[in-house]
Amino acid sequence: MTRRFCSVVLLLALAASPFTSFGLLGCASQEQAPEAATPPPPRPKNAAEIARSIVNGRVGMMVWPERLKGHPLELRLRAMNPLRSMLEGTGIDATGDVVAAYVASTGVTQSDLAVAIVQHKLDDQRARQGLNTMIARSEPRGEWITTASVPSARVTVRGQTRVVALVEEGFLAVLPESLAPQAARFEGTGGFPDPEGPEAVVATADDPSRSLAGSQAPRVPSTIRYAVARLRLAADGGVDVSSTGESTDPVQASADAAALTASIDRATSLNLGIVKVRLFAPVVFRAEGAQVKSDLHLTPSEIDRLLTLADTFMPR
C-alpha cells in the first residue's frame, strides 16, 4: 500500500472577556490566539516519473506483488517478476516484502539500461542487512559507496554490476553503476499513485516498434506510437491480459490490428507443416477508432508455456 501522509492540526484559541463592575470603569483584555501550525505538504507520488527521467525510459513496468499473494499461480508468476534478478542476494522477497515497484528501461535487451524503484516493508536495519548480504555474495565482492549522498552499495550479480541505494525509508532504488549519482533524485518521493484498477502488472512502451525491437518480441507496426498492457488475476487461476495501442488514425488502426494479429500468431506458434502448435489461443486485435485493442485469457497451463517467452520481454 502506498504510504499515506496525514496531519492533525489542533487549533487553540484563548480569549479573555472584558470584565465590568457596576459603577466602575471597565478594563478589557484579550489574548491573541496562536496561529495554526501549517501541516507539511504531502510528498509527491512521482517515483515512476523520476525513474523514467533518469534512464530516458521508453519501456516501463509497474508491479503490485502483494496482489499475487494467495493466487493459485503465485509461484509461477514469481518467475515473471522483473524484480527477481534485481533483488537477488539481498534477502528481500520480490513478492512478499515488496508493496509496489516500477522498472523503467530504454528497451528489452540485455544491453538496455534499466532503473527500478521499490517500495518495501522492511525497516532500515533489515534493509541494510539485506545489502550487506548482497555485498558479501557479490563477485567480485561489493562495497558501500562512502561518497554517495544516500546510503548506496555497489554489487555484481550474474556478471552485471549495479548500485542499490536506500533512498528513503521504505524505498530502495536499483541503478546501473554509470547512473548511481542519480539515486539522490528519489529523496523526498512519496512513492506511487494508488492503483486505478485491479491490475497486478501494467506495462507500457513508447514507440514500441523500436523500444521492443531486438528481442524475441513480436514485430510491432511503426505506426503504433504507444502501447499499454494490463494483467489482472482471474478467479479460475489464470490471468486476463488487455492491451491497447495508439495508432495514427482509424484506417491505419485497422491495418495495424491485422498486422499485429499475424505477427503475434507467428511469434507464439510452431508450424510443423500439416499442423500448427500454439502456446495459447490466437490473439485477435481489433480497431476501435484510432486505437488497436485485444483481450486475452490465459489458463494456468498456458501461462506455464508462456513463462520462458515472457521472461525475454522483461527489462533487465
Side-chain angles (χ1 to χ4, degrees):
M1 182 188 309
T2 308
R3 271 193 319 185
R4 299 176 185 270
F5 296 92
C6 60
S7 52
V8 178
V9 179
L10 180 61
L11 300 177
L12 297 177
L14 300 177
S17 301
F19 292 93
T20 60
S21 222
F22 181 75
L24 299 175
L25 291 176
C27 181
S29 66
Q30 185 170 352
E31 188 173 331
Q32 187 72 28
E35 291 187 6
T38 303
R43 294 190 176 192
K45 298 184 178 183
N46 58 357
E49 297 171 15
I50 295 171
R52 282 196 301 269
S53 66
I54 288 175
V55 79
N56 293 320
R58 297 188 298 173
V59 177
M61 184 170 292
M62 186 75 209
V63 185
W64 291 274
E66 283 189 322
R67 294 188 170 184
L68 305 178
K69 296 292 289 183
H71 190 271
L73 289 179
E74 179 182 354
L75 294 179
R76 293 184 180 95
L77 291 175
R78 283 190 182 202
M80 297 172 66
N81 193 330
L83 301 173
R84 183 183 38 146
S85 61
M86 287 188 165
L87 297 179
E88 184 175 349
T90 63
I92 299 175
D93 186 331
T95 300
D97 293 331
V98 175
V99 177
Y102 182 79
V103 181
S105 178
T106 55
V108 292
T109 68
Q110 293 270 352
S111 60
D112 280 295
L113 296 176
V115 171
I117 178 67
V118 181
Q119 181 181 359
H120 58 80
K121 303 175 185 177
L122 308 181
D123 58 28
D124 184 67
Q125 182 179 0
R126 282 190 62 199
R128 287 177 179 270
Q129 286 175 348
L131 278 187
N132 282 326
T133 300
M134 200 174 190
I135 288 171
R137 293 180 179 177
S138 173
E139 295 182 1
R141 183 180 174 85
E143 61 181 351
W144 287 98
I145 303 174
T146 57
T147 57
S149 58
V150 294
S152 304
R154 181 186 296 108
V155 296
T156 302
V157 178
R158 296 185 182 182
Q160 295 188 6
T161 300
R162 56 177 61 99
V163 170
V164 182
L166 304 178
V167 293
E168 282 286 347
E169 182 180 356
F171 290 89
L172 64 82
V174 185
L175 309 93
E177 188 175 13
S178 61
L179 297 175
Q182 300 294 318
R185 292 178 57 186
F186 287 106
E187 287 188 285
T189 185
F192 311 103
D194 292 333
E196 297 178 355
E199 293 84 8
V201 179
V202 176
T204 62
D206 292 317
D207 192 11
S209 67
R210 296 182 180 181
S211 61
L212 300 182
S215 69
Q216 297 180 22
R219 182 183 175 276
V220 179
S222 60
T223 43
I224 299 291
R225 297 170 295 185
Y226 174 81
V228 57
R230 304 176 187 277
L231 183 147
R232 295 178 294 275
L233 304 178
D236 67 352
V239 297
D240 293 312
V241 183
S242 62
S243 57
T244 301
E246 299 288 343
S247 188
T248 56
D249 56 60
V251 174
Q252 185 61 52
S254 295
D256 289 342
L260 276 170
T261 298
S263 178
I264 291 184
D265 185 64
R266 287 192 298 269
T268 59
S269 60
L270 275 175
N271 196 332
L272 302 179
I274 61 174
V275 64
K276 179 179 284 189
V277 178
R278 290 187 169 90
L279 289 173
F280 43 79
V283 183
V284 178
F285 284 82
R286 63 190 185 277
E288 292 186 7
Q291 294 184 327
V292 178
K293 296 185 177 184
S294 72
D295 296 289
L296 174 67
H297 177 75
L298 295 173
T299 65
S301 60
E302 288 173 333
I303 292 176
D304 282 340
R305 295 195 296 270
L306 186 62
L307 286 178
T308 301
L309 181 65
D311 191 54
T312 304
F313 301 155
M314 298 298 182
R316 305 294 177 180

